[in-house]
Amino acid sequence: MRRQEHDEQVALFKWAGHLASLYPELGLLFAIPNGGKRDKLIAVQMQREGVKPGVPDVCLPVPRKGWHGLFIELKFGANKPTDYQLEWLEQLAEQGK
């Protein structure tokens, strides 16, 4: 069986679910549905609702030690971030500086 980014994200949420009793804030971890294949109609609807290309895959909106929260862009194997993803990550890293 070939592992994929999807499998890694599923494993992340399974891990967070197991540790949520010790760290309840992990219950706030959520996925951002930006990726995946969609037909044009659904893609247009999601874009109108505010979905934007490049937004990281996962968010933990819990502030810690001066940080506003955690965004995670998952990559697996030889996958590389897109220009949109790099731009988002840069802009997010600049917040609060």
Side-chain angles (χ1 to χ4, degrees):
M1 184 173 136
R2 193 172 144 247
R3 290 187 61 91
Q4 300 176 2
E5 188 176 299
H6 162 82
D7 301 315
E8 299 300 313
Q9 187 162 327
V10 168
L12 171 66
F13 278 87
K14 189 173 183 179
W15 169 85
H18 288 304
L19 289 177
S21 61
L22 291 173
Y23 305 100
E25 60 270 32
L26 286 175
L28 296 172
L29 186 71
F30 66 91
I32 299 169
N34 271 358
K37 304 283 186 220
R38 297 183 179 86
D39 67 47
K40 268 194 164 182
L41 178 61
I42 298 297
V44 168
Q45 286 176 337
M46 291 180 74
Q47 202 170 35
R48 288 179 180 159
E49 291 173 1
V51 171
K52 296 180 180 181
V55 174
D57 299 311
V58 179
C59 179
L60 180 61
V62 178
R64 288 288 186 275
K65 298 183 181 183
W67 297 96
H68 302 297
L70 174 68
F71 284 90
I72 302 170
E73 176 58 42
L74 292 164
K75 293 295 171 200
F76 186 77
N79 286 348
K80 303 279 187 230
T82 67
D83 289 341
Y84 285 124
Q85 291 168 335
L86 291 171
E87 187 176 322
W88 266 98
L89 293 170
E90 283 179 27
Q91 289 185 32
L92 288 167
E94 289 297 317
Q95 300 307 302
K97 286 189 174 181

